[in-house]
């Protein structure tokens, strides 16, 4: 019989790639979605008929318990969260409820329904914040720099704690930034590639950004969801850093994207001081040696391939948008 899985955050970037990946592995895929007055299922439209969606909310303990009891999954991937760092300063309490306490609610539901369910927690390199060493690995001290980062530290440690307290097969994947054509447009990579497409096609002239000196270890989301699954297939639960080991600045990202379509970014990019964060994570670079050694995981898409893939996808999306408006 095929294994059953529940993905929270299935409508998000990672949820959509993970659902595709698990369908290809023969899983019976279930997704948790929160109630909304409109359906935001764009990223999973192409697989909608092959997955089962259920309404529940990270804020509602009973809805999660009832859901787990009804589905009885073998594996749960907890990807749902308020994931945009700047919003976490505007809505710090809600961020704590979703991104921190939401993890406890998922683990409590497992504790009540079935201690045998394997659990993946979407932890983040934002936990390293003001980095204490470079590159960062599973033993690097956390120093989060945003309410989001603080909430993720809580989520990480409560996952470790439920593993140690109740023997739950619970893994925390400490993932560095990962992107794709399905990335939300407020994140810097997609903001840049969407703007490059619009500027190239004559629909926009300027792109306003914040800190061009910030450096990130950017990988491809499709590669990273494979690592999540690999963690839950091991004999023992553990925590893993997932990263490429390379870092690039926002300036390099911008140069790479604009030069790919033959444009000079300096004619189009301006700094908007409002986009500078109250506390910045200046640099992140991960050491995924443990994931390579234990899981046999390797990223397959390079930084340049990733940026070019995203620019290509946005050129196509914007062309389609223009054609649709013309009709
Ligand atoms: P994303 O695109 O922003 O997706 C977030 C998902 O969470 C969406 O499906 C959203 O549903 C859902 N959600 C939010 N609040 C919810 C609630 N109260 N109840 C139920 N569902 C809720 O994020 P992503 O990039 O795929 O990231 C997935 C996870 O990995 C997140 O936890 C993120 O913090 C973490 N992470 C991401 C990265 C990265 O670089 N992408 C790196 C490290 C860690 P709606 O569609 O209803 O909004
Ligand atoms: O793309 P970003 O918004 O991603 P950030 O803050 O690194 O967070 C992402 O990665 C985390 C993993 O480390 C995840 F946990 C989190 O959920 C999310 O997926 O910003 C990247 C960098 C920052 O240093 C920011 O200051 O880009 C800089 N930046 C410069 N101008 C900008 C902009 N970021 C955004 N979003 N918009 C700008 O205009």
């Amino acid at each position: 019989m095929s294994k059953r899985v529940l993905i929270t955050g299935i409508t998000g970037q990672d949820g959509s790639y993970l659902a595709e990946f698990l369908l290809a592995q023969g899983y019976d895929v279930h997704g948790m979605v929160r109630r909304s007055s409109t359906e935001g299922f764009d990223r999973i439209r192409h697989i909608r008929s092959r997955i089962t969606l259920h309404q529940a909310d990270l804020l509602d303990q009973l809805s999660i318990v009832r859901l787990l009891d009804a589905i009885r999954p073998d594996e749960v991937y907890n990807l749902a969260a308020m994931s945009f760092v700047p919003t976490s300063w505007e809505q710090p309490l809600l961020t704590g409820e979703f991104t921190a306490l939401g993890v406890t609610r998922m683990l409590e539901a497992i504790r009540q329904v079935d201690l045998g369910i394997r659990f993946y927690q979407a932890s983040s390199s934002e936990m390293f914040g003001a980095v204490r060493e470079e590159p960062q690995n599973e033993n690097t001290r956390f120093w989060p720099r945003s309410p989001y980062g603080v909430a993720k530290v809580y989520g990480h440690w409560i996952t470790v704690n439920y593993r140690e307290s109740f023997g739950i097969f619970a893994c925390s994947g400490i993932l560095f930034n990962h992107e794709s054509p399905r990335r939300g447009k407020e994140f810097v990579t997609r903001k840049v590639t969407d703007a490059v497409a619009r500027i190239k096609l004559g629909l926009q002239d300027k792109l306003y950004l914040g800190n061009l000196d910030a450096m990130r270890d950017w990988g491809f989301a499709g590669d990273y969801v494979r690592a999540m699954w690999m963690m839950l297939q091991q004999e023992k639960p553990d925590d893993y850093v997932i990263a490429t080991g390379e870092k690039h600045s926002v300036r390099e990202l911008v140069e790479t994207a604009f030069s790919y379509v033959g444009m000079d970014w300096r004619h189009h990019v301006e700094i908007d001081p409002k986009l500078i964060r109250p506390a910045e994570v200046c640099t992140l670079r991960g050491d995924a040696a443990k994931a390579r050694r234990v899981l046999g995981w390797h990223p397959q898409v390079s930084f340049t391939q990733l940026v070019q893939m995203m620019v290509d996808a946005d050129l196509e999306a914007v062309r389609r948008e223009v054609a649709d408006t013309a009709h």
Side-chain angles (χ1 to χ4, degrees):
M1 223 175 64
S2 58
K3 276 199 201 169
R4 198 168 306 137
V5 61
L6 173 67
I7 303 172
T8 76
I10 195 166
T11 56
Q13 170 189 258
D14 290 7
S16 67
Y17 281 105
L18 182 64
E20 273 171 14
F21 175 81
L22 294 175
L23 282 172
Q25 304 292 315
Y27 277 75
D28 173 17
V29 176
H30 294 252
M32 180 178 117
V33 293
R34 53 180 164 172
R35 196 263 160 193
S36 160
S37 64
T38 52
E39 275 195 357
F41 298 163
D42 287 358
R43 294 181 178 110
I44 50 173
R45 202 168 301 288
H46 59 299
I47 50 170
R48 182 69 188 84
S49 60
R50 299 167 62 207
I51 58 180
T52 313
L53 299 181
H54 308 261
Q55 275 186 13
D57 200 295
L58 280 182
L59 299 184
D60 189 322
Q61 179 74 69
L62 283 180
S63 73
I64 302 171
V65 172
R66 272 200 293 269
L67 182 57
L68 281 195
D69 198 30
I71 302 177
R72 295 286 176 153
D74 300 286
E75 298 171 8
V76 170
Y77 294 83
N78 184 37
L79 310 185
M82 199 305 288
S83 73
F84 189 49
V85 172
T87 299
S88 76
W89 278 286
E90 303 304 324
Q91 301 176 1
L93 300 181
L94 195 58
T95 301
E97 286 286 351
F98 286 171
T99 306
L101 283 180
V103 188
T104 311
R105 294 192 188 99
M106 293 303 301
L107 287 161
E108 268 300 298
I110 289 178
R111 188 178 161 204
Q112 283 203 22
V113 172
D114 177 2
L115 282 172
I117 295 172
R118 295 190 170 204
F119 179 76
Y120 172 85
Q121 167 56 17
S123 293
S124 166
S125 51
E126 271 286 309
M127 301 190 301
F128 297 122
V131 295
R132 303 287 100 186
E133 61 180 341
E134 182 172 329
Q136 297 87 48
N137 63 35
E138 294 78 7
N139 300 315
T140 301
R141 194 175 150 204
F142 299 141
W143 194 297
R145 295 271 285 167
S146 62
Y148 169 83
V150 174
K152 283 289 180 187
V153 171
Y154 174 93
H156 169 81
W157 283 118
I158 201 71
T159 301
V160 173
N161 180 262
Y162 272 54
R163 178 167 80 215
E164 293 176 353
S165 305
F166 306 114
I168 296 176
F169 193 110
C171 298
S172 170
I174 307 175
L175 272 51
F176 282 62
N177 299 49
H178 45 280
E179 319 292 315
S180 73
R182 297 184 201 163
R183 186 59 142 155
K185 285 186 187 169
E186 69 271 53
F187 298 92
V188 75
T189 50
R190 185 78 199 286
K191 182 172 173 181
V192 168
T193 60
D194 176 62
V196 163
R198 286 174 196 282
I199 294 169
K200 181 70 185 173
L201 298 175
L203 301 177
Q204 183 177 321
D205 185 40
K206 294 288 176 206
L207 165 61
Y208 294 93
L209 291 172
N211 179 10
L212 298 186
D213 296 322
M215 305 194 87
R216 288 292 183 275
D217 179 331
W218 278 295
F220 171 53
D223 284 339
Y224 285 44
V225 299
R226 200 169 63 246
M228 298 175 184
W229 174 77
M230 286 171 149
M231 287 178 212
L232 294 200
Q233 311 315 308
Q234 302 306 304
E235 262 175 40
K236 286 195 200 136
D238 208 341
D239 310 319
Y240 297 90
V241 158
I242 301 297
T244 69
E246 262 183 42
K247 68 177 179 181
H248 299 271
S249 65
V250 173
R251 186 176 287 99
E252 275 177 85
L253 161 70
V254 165
E255 269 170 6
T256 308
F258 275 87
S259 68
Y260 181 51
V261 296
M263 294 192 302
D264 185 341
W265 67 278
R266 284 165 299 195
H267 299 153
H268 301 282
V269 172
E270 290 188 6
I271 303 302
D272 179 350
K274 288 198 291 297
L275 295 167
I276 305 286
R277 300 177 179 187
E280 176 66 297
V281 172
C282 298
T283 182
L284 288 173
R285 183 165 75 88
D287 171 6
K290 180 175 166 186
R292 282 198 301 276
R293 195 178 66 248
V294 181
L295 307 177
W297 178 84
H298 299 271
Q300 285 165 6
V301 176
S302 72
F303 170 73
T304 307
Q305 287 170 329
L306 173 66
V307 175
Q308 295 184 352
M309 172 206 300
M310 291 176 68
V311 171
D312 283 337
D314 275 322
L315 281 168
E316 204 186 308
V318 174
R319 281 196 190 105
R320 248 194 336 261
E321 197 182 298
V322 171
D324 286 351
T325 341
H327 284 130

